[in-house]
Amino acid sequence: MDKLRSVLGGRDGQSDNRNIIEGVGCLFIPKLGIILFIVFYTFGNLCSLISTMFLMGPLKQLKRMCDKTRFFATAVMITCLVLTLCAAFWWKIFILALFLVILQSIAFAWYGLSYIPFARDAVLKFLSMIGSMFCKACKKSVSTDAG
């Protein structure tokens, strides 16, 4: 209860800031920092995936993961998790591993959106709208430069 009071009172924030600074500082340790980041990030995504099994049960979770609406998202997400670890430990290509971490984030978000009705459609529509606005701005820029 005292811990809750100190957090709500704003007295516990100093140790959290120190942990964040130490964590970011570990990233700059040559080679080891990137590996630690990749391992902990992938482990965190695995823990997030496994933690939902407590909410709905492991069998129901696995059945939902293999539904036709989210099978592709599940396959891409698990593939990204595995390839990220392979790139970090076996292939030792750290740029590829960081690229796969980004893909892992996108795949995990896409997988999560599959549980919200019409969320993926809304995101696709939003991205297409942003893309069309960008294309119009580029065409306008090119036409003003040419004229």
Side-chain angles (χ1 to χ4, degrees), residues 7-72:
V7 169
L8 292 176
R11 294 183 298 260
D12 196 43
Q14 289 79 17
S15 64
D16 291 339
N17 292 339
R18 195 176 107 223
N19 290 340
I20 292 171
I21 292 170
E22 289 172 354
V24 171
C26 286
L27 283 175
F28 297 106
I29 299 172
K31 291 194 180 182
L32 180 65
I34 294 173
I35 291 174
L36 286 174
F37 170 74
I38 290 166
V39 168
F40 287 135
Y41 189 83
T42 303
F43 181 70
N45 279 341
L46 282 173
C47 287
S48 296
L49 188 62
I50 292 170
S51 69
T52 58
M53 290 185 183
F54 290 108
L55 296 174
M56 64 179 80
L59 291 177
K60 193 172 183 182
Q61 170 77 12
L62 290 174
K63 285 180 185 176
R64 286 191 175 178
M65 287 173 70
C66 295
D67 280 349
K68 66 175 185 170
T69 57
R70 62 182 65 92
F71 179 75
F72 182 72

Side-chain angles (χ1 to χ4, degrees), residues 31-121:
K31 291 194 180 182
L32 180 65
I34 294 173
I35 291 174
L36 286 174
F37 170 74
I38 290 166
V39 168
F40 287 135
Y41 189 83
T42 303
F43 181 70
N45 279 341
L46 282 173
C47 287
S48 296
L49 188 62
I50 292 170
S51 69
T52 58
M53 290 185 183
F54 290 108
L55 296 174
M56 64 179 80
L59 291 177
K60 193 172 183 182
Q61 170 77 12
L62 290 174
K63 285 180 185 176
R64 286 191 175 178
M65 287 173 70
C66 295
D67 280 349
K68 66 175 185 170
T69 57
R70 62 182 65 92
F71 179 75
F72 182 72
T74 302
V76 170
M77 181 184 59
I78 291 173
T79 302
C80 285
L81 291 171
V82 171
L83 288 178
T84 302
L85 294 175
C86 288
F89 290 116
W90 285 282
W91 305 326
K92 297 191 187 295
I93 305 172
F94 299 114
I95 299 297
L96 176 63
L98 289 175
F99 176 72
L100 287 168
V101 163
I102 294 168
L103 284 180
Q104 196 180 120
S105 302
I106 294 168
F108 201 77
W110 194 253
Y111 170 77
L113 285 173
S114 71
Y115 284 94
I116 303 169
F118 305 109
R120 292 194 290 186
D121 294 334

